[in-house]
C-alpha cells in the first residue's frame, strides 16, 4: 500500500467521524496509541507490536487528512539522502 | 512511496545508527517528534505540520525496522473495512 492509498483508506473509513471530533481529539488519540506502542515495545509480543504500529500509522494518516497534508510529500525530504548531511547512510556527526 | 519502500529507505539511511542506539532511544525519539507534531497542529504552519508528520512517520518506520515488523502487514487490518464493525465507513456505535 502506498501512502496516498493509506490516507484514502483512512478517510473512507473514519474521515467524517474524525473531522466531527476535531483535531485536538485526533492528537489525543494519536498520543494514546503511541503510549500503547511504547508498552508493546517494552513487553508486548511481535503481534502486539505490529498491531500498535498499525494503530499509530492509522491515526497519523487520519491527522494528515484533517490537516490537508500529504504523507507522500512529507517523506520526500529523505529521497536523496539524509536531509541534514545529504549522505546515505547518514553521516551526521 | 509504498510502506515497504519507506522502511527500506529509513533502514538504508539510519538503520545501523538506530540499531546501535537501541529500541528505547527510538521510542524516546518517536515520542519527542509526536510532541513536536502536536505543537505544529496547535500553532504551526501547514509546512511545519508536513515536516513534523514526516518526522513521526520516519521514526515509526525506523522503529518497525528494529522490531522486524512490516508496516504493510500492520495496516492490512483495515483493508476490508473497520476492524471492529466491518463497515466502510465505520459504523461503530
Amino acid at each position: 500500500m502506498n501512502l496516498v492509498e493509506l490516507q484514502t483508506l483512512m478517510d473512507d473509513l473514519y474521515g467524517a467521524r474524525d473531522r466531527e471530533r476535531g483535531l485536538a481529539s485526533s492528537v489525543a488519540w494519536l498520543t494514546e496509541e503511541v503510549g500503547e506502542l511504547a508498552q508493546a515495545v517494552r513487553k508486548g509480543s511481535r503481534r502486539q507490536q505490529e498491531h500498535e504500529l498499525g494503530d499509530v500509522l492509522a491515526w497519523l494518516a487520519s491527522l494528515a487528512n484533517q490537516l490537508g497534508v500529504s504523507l507522500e510529500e512529507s517523506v520526500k525530504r529523505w529521497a536523496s539522502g539524509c536531509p541534514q548531511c545529504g549522505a546515505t547512510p547518514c553521516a551526521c556527526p
Side-chain angles (χ1 to χ4, degrees), chain A residues 24-40:
Chain A
S25 287
S26 293
V27 170
W29 222 309
L30 172 67
T31 309
E32 181 177 331
E33 295 298 344
V34 170
E36 292 180 11
L37 173 59
Q39 188 183 64

Side-chain angles (χ1 to χ4, degrees), chain A residues 40-51:
Chain A
V41 170
R42 184 169 61 84
K43 64 176 185 179
S45 66
R46 201 170 162 285
R47 188 170 171 180
Q48 286 168 323
Q49 291 166 352
E50 180 182 293
H51 186 103

Side-chain angles (χ1 to χ4, degrees), chain A residues 11-78:
Chain A
D11 193 56
D12 290 345
L13 281 167
Y14 304 115
R17 286 193 169 195
D18 290 349
R19 281 189 294 276
E20 195 179 339
R21 280 191 297 248
L23 273 171
S25 287
S26 293
V27 170
W29 222 309
L30 172 67
T31 309
E32 181 177 331
E33 295 298 344
V34 170
E36 292 180 11
L37 173 59
Q39 188 183 64
V41 170
R42 184 169 61 84
K43 64 176 185 179
S45 66
R46 201 170 162 285
R47 188 170 171 180
Q48 286 168 323
Q49 291 166 352
E50 180 182 293
H51 186 103
E52 299 305 339
L53 280 162
D55 281 348
V56 172
L57 186 53
W59 276 105
L60 200 66
S62 186
L63 192 55
N65 283 338
Q66 280 185 79
L67 293 166
V69 168
S70 161
L71 291 177
E72 181 74 30
E73 290 297 317
S74 79
V75 296
K76 285 191 174 166
R77 263 193 294 147
W78 289 277

Side-chain angles (χ1 to χ4, degrees), chain A residues 4-15:
Chain A
V4 175
E5 291 167 338
L6 176 68
Q7 285 190 247
T8 302
L9 177 64
M10 292 305 158
D11 193 56
D12 290 345
L13 281 167
Y14 304 115

